[in-house]
Amino acid sequence: MDKEQKDSTTDETGVVRKFTGNLEAVLTDCSNADIHLLDAILDIVGALIIVSDVDGSIVRFNRMCETTTNYSFDELQGKCIWESLLRKEDVEQFKVDFAKIVDGQYPLSIENFLLTKNGQQRLITWSNTALLNEQSGQVEYVVLTGLDITERKIAEQRLQYLAHFDSLTDLPNRTLFYDRLSHTLGHSRRYNQMFALLFIDLDGFKHVNDTLGHDMGDLLLKQTAKKLPNCVRDTDTVAHVGGDEFVVILPFIKKVQDAALVAEKIIETLSEPFLLDGHECFVGASIGISVYPSDGDDIDTLLKNSDIAMYQAKERGRSNYQFFNTEMNSRALRRLKLENNLRKALERNEFVLYYQPKINLSTGKVCAAEALIRWLNPKHGIISPVEFIPLAEETGLIIPIGEWVLRTACKESIEWQRAGYPPIVIAVNLSVKQFRSENLIKTIEDILDETQLRPELLELELTESIVMEDAEKAIKVLRNVRDKGIHVAIDDFGMGYSSLSYLKRFPICRLKIDRSFVRDITTDPDDEAISTAIIAMSHSLKLDVTAEGVETYEQLEFLRALKCDEAQGYLFSQPLPAKEFLEFLDSSVTF
Ligand code: C2E
Ligand code: MG
Ligand code: MG
């Protein structure tokens, strides 16, 4: 750099470069008033200012520096900047930068830490200038002007963290997960490698949330987040992508089985009991696995397919893992279509009720009918409730659909009475969501009011699992129902795990023996024993018994001999549309 350039008074950034003599000389040339003025200015500027000689010895240290470092100027005067104020690991780099400044390569911005007297570190961003001696043309002093950016940096880092990590679990969030996934995908494409994506859903999360509260739910998620990384390698990514859903990216797997091993390890780990504030909880997890490149070539497909596989794993029962396959995809697509259509089915009037007669075994005549919903889909024809009720449950659509069933069953049965048919009990199935709904009693009351059906002609069918799930609450609801005069039956009895002590306390009037026991009642001694026991027990509890799924005369006679009260099944009639059901009543057949 030539002298002429160095002597220019100010550059475009406003940095003063011209200097005559050394700093001490300037100050001795000045009047006392000037010196005070300069000192005052140095001390009131909001920046840290350190002036040193070309060897780094400090000759000025303003008040801002004193406040920031807790050193007084007197303590540092004549000391070397990097020996007294820098972290060891920063010294080498600083010396390189400092040499550049002295060499005239300024202004040069540096960011580094200053060590304070009490050992703290403050992050400072410096802009540096050298001062020349005009006569010699040599650099004589270096002026470091710094701003303390420690707090700003912390805030920035915090923001950065919040944007990429989940604050509850401290795991990478959805954004960072997508980032890592797309990175893994790019890498795998380039090097022709396989990788796996594991979609993990906790099995008992909702139960913990509902019964122990959201705080415990959060605690469960936190503990899960701690356990998961122990099941994978450091290079794998575990992310929390929402609710009780976690995902794991396993980059560079050699064979598909590697992913299965990790899934097994995760399931095993999450099957161990969680201790939530003194409560021991058993949770477990369902895992869906998709593998690049066989299950998808892009992020969205791989994610969607691991999700589909996870649902499949859930359907197979708790604590399972499942690899994606294409057949699943077509099932999932049908399900998705079904769900979309189900939403519109009510307004399009696509539901109908079929009625299946129940026969009183002492008179042999029809005494009641069970209303069973059917979906008349314009494209798929009649869709069984077995297919769409679980979907309606999951989506919450069961509430309006269930209300429609109740209203229609009550309305049609009162119409039959008005048409001159003798009153018969009409049985309606309730789903778990309906039973838990706060509005259940009010809805039933309104419908009975509206239709003028006598409450004792309505019977609600609930499965064992629905009432046993929260037995104490069920007892309260059922009492309320009974007080209104409505009957309650336990459906599919024998399939669940009823506690007999509760059974005694439930205000119910009937048990329906599940048809799986009735099917082989005449040939399988176990089924015979179970049915006999259920009938005997019901009678001692003063409950009536209905046998479901009676298809043969042998079964009928067998049940009659056991003093079963009612029977229902294809032997008498399939479920029928209302018109045909009335024709069946008209025929007055006796069994
Ligand atoms: P469920 O309440 O146990 O109904 C009895 C089921 O057994 C009916 O199936 C009926 O058609 C069938 N069934 C009756 N007799 C025989 C027989 O002799 N042999 C055989 N193999 N099957 C027989 P469906 O109509 O397909 O209904 C299936 C299930 O769907 C019902 O089981 C019930 O849990 C549910 N469901 C039906 N309608 C409704 C509804 O309106 N609301 C709710 N929440 N669930 C419903
Ligand atoms: Mg039923
Ligand atoms: Mg049943």
Side-chain angles (χ1 to χ4, degrees), residues 356 370 373-374 385 405 429 491-492 515 548-549 551 569-570 575:
Q356 187 175 38
E370 178 172 3
I373 192 170
R374 299 288 179 267
V405 172
N429 294 283
D491 204 353
D492 306 341
R515 69 166 184 270
E548 295 185 292
E551 296 183 356
Y570 293 168

Side-chain angles (χ1 to χ4, degrees), residues 353-354 356 370-374 384-386 388-389 393 398 401-402 405-406 428-432 434 461 463 491-492 512 514-515 548-551 555 568-571 573-575:
L353 288 186
Y354 277 35
Q356 187 175 38
E370 178 172 3
L372 294 157
I373 192 170
R374 299 288 179 267
S384 152
V386 178
F388 71 83
I389 292 285
E393 276 272 347
I398 193 68
I401 293 175
V405 172
L406 258 171
V428 172
N429 294 283
L430 282 197
S431 81
V432 60
Q434 272 176 290
E461 293 193 4
T463 60
D491 204 353
D492 306 341
K512 295 183 75 181
D514 189 72
R515 69 166 184 270
E548 295 185 292
V550 178
E551 296 183 356
Q555 292 165 340
Q568 179 183 356
Y570 293 168
L571 173 66
S573 165
Q574 300 238 346

Side-chain angles (χ1 to χ4, degrees), residues 15 35 89 116 133 163 211 226 255 280 393 402 452 495:
V15 179
I35 294 170
E89 59 265 42
T116 70
N133 183 315
T211 53
K226 279 228 173 73
K255 45 189 190 319
E280 197 177 51
E393 276 272 347
Q452 291 294 302
M495 294 302 284

